[in-house]
Amino acid sequence: MPPKKRVLSGMRPTGRLHIGHYFGALENWVKLQNDPQYECFFFIADWHALTSDYADTSQVAQNTIEIATDWLASGLNPEKCTMFIQSSVPEHAELHLLLSMVTPLGWLERVPTYKEALDNVKDKDLHTYGFLGYPVLQTADIVMYGEPGSGLVVPVGEDQASHVELSREIVATFNLNYGFSVEYERWRDENRGGLIEALYPRGGTPIGITSGHAKVYEDAPRINREVLRRQLREEGPVNFAKRLGPENLKYFRLTPVLEPPQVLLTKTPRIPGLDGRKMSKSYGNVITLSESDGDIRAKTKVMMTDPARKRRTDPGNPDICPVYDWHKLFSPPETLKWSAEGCRTAGIGCIECKAAMADNLIKWIAPIRERRVEHEKNPKRVLELIDAGSKRARVEATKTMTRVRESVFGWEKKRAEISSGGSAAGAD
């Protein structure tokens, strides 16, 4: 049986979740946790909350519990997935640090959402390393739970795929720096001409191969390995392999230290806010998963509709009406047909249409809300569940960081060498 693919996704702790969160992520997460081909890790990204809201952290802990409560109410099952808190797994911060060492500054400065936020957000100072470097932390979050050779996927919509692509570039750079090896001495002894041609394709003599300077000769393996690594990075694996040919490639090893993540494209329905804009708490246009029946009816009663329907007798177009978008999520087919036909013919008014949609929204949300009330009564149990998930996540993170530390520093190899009677490298 092939190993399960691992799934990683998370949410910032912004408080109680709304129906946009459910249809944008949670509905799909529940499907993934129930799919036997996946092993799912879902985390509450409390460190990410600090990248833009570092000035006031007073609500982060409570918001974390609110989100966990909504996750449980929406159907996430701690026995089928690992739910955890980011800051409870400190290995994320260590991997973030190591990845930041190899990530070019220009990559981060060119991230579109970074530039947009600097231009548009005026009430916060976002000129911090934490905000600039959030894609590196995001990469650490993802690849912490990958195993080389096994699949690692991130469920996102098309508009977020570029974020995963940047993570792939960061991982490729890290693997090239710390998973790249050359059997230099064997290559030099068996095929000196091939080594010289690989190092200097335009002619010249590599350092140390024919040099009579002792110190230069001692440094030659290190220097020439760096030359080859730079060539591989600049030319790309395909062109590099084509230039060297199979007779020289046999001396190379590129062992992935971190598993590059793949995009798992997910289709999400259109769910505009009450005012027709994107659903967002900052716009005040949401229906939370814990909303009361009275509040649902009051909020949807003033919901935006097709602006062309200025009078009751004016026909409308349901395809551009936010209320109809919500009907498609909550109403049965017969109500959907009634709404569309009534709108186009002015057979029904917008108030009637909204009321029918609200009735079906209330029916849909009732079981989620009931489960939430039960979990809300016992926040201690909710916290115990996410703490247990954090411990499970940390077991996997420890495995990853053991592999990463050894690839970067080689301490286990050095300790074994010293224990067997070898000398400390670099000693004069």
Side-chain angles (χ1 to χ4, degrees), residues 185-212:
E185 287 78 9
R186 185 165 78 91
W187 191 4
R188 181 191 61 202
D189 296 341
E190 293 179 1
N191 188 2
R192 183 178 296 248
L195 174 57
I196 293 174
E197 187 176 347
L199 286 164
Y200 283 76
R202 298 179 185 84
T205 303
I207 289 177
I209 291 184
T210 60
S211 171

Side-chain angles (χ1 to χ4, degrees), residues 19 22-23 289 329-330 359-368:
I19 57 177
Y22 181 87
F23 289 104
L289 296 175
L329 295 172
F330 306 118
D359 288 341
N360 288 303
L361 167 54
I362 289 169
K363 291 177 185 176
W364 174 87
I365 210 170
I368 296 177

Side-chain angles (χ1 to χ4, degrees), residues 3 111 186 194 233 245 273 326 411 422:
V111 172
R186 185 165 78 91
R233 183 165 49 244
W326 286 31
W411 272 115

Side-chain angles (χ1 to χ4, degrees), residues 12 32 40 55 213-214 219 276 284 326 330 375 380 393:
R12 288 165 59 131
L32 290 170
C40 297
H213 299 288
D219 286 347
W326 286 31
F330 306 118
H375 289 297
K380 181 180 177 182

Side-chain angles (χ1 to χ4, degrees), residues 48-91:
H48 277 289
L50 305 185
T51 60
S52 58
D53 297 314
Y54 57 85
D56 181 8
T57 59
S58 60
Q59 296 302 308
V60 171
Q62 182 59 38
N63 286 347
T64 295
I65 294 174
E66 297 288 357
I67 282 187
T69 302
D70 281 325
W71 284 6
L72 293 167
S74 298
L76 287 186
N77 186 341
E79 295 182 1
K80 294 183 178 181
C81 67
T82 300
M83 299 163 46
F84 66 99
I85 302 171
Q86 182 187 32
S87 65
S88 294
V89 187
E91 286 79 4

Side-chain angles (χ1 to χ4, degrees), residues 165-181:
E165 187 55 39
L166 177 56
S167 291
R168 288 176 56 82
E169 292 180 6
I170 293 172
V171 168
T173 301
F174 187 88
N175 284 339
L176 183 57
N177 277 278
Y178 302 114
F180 173 88
S181 62

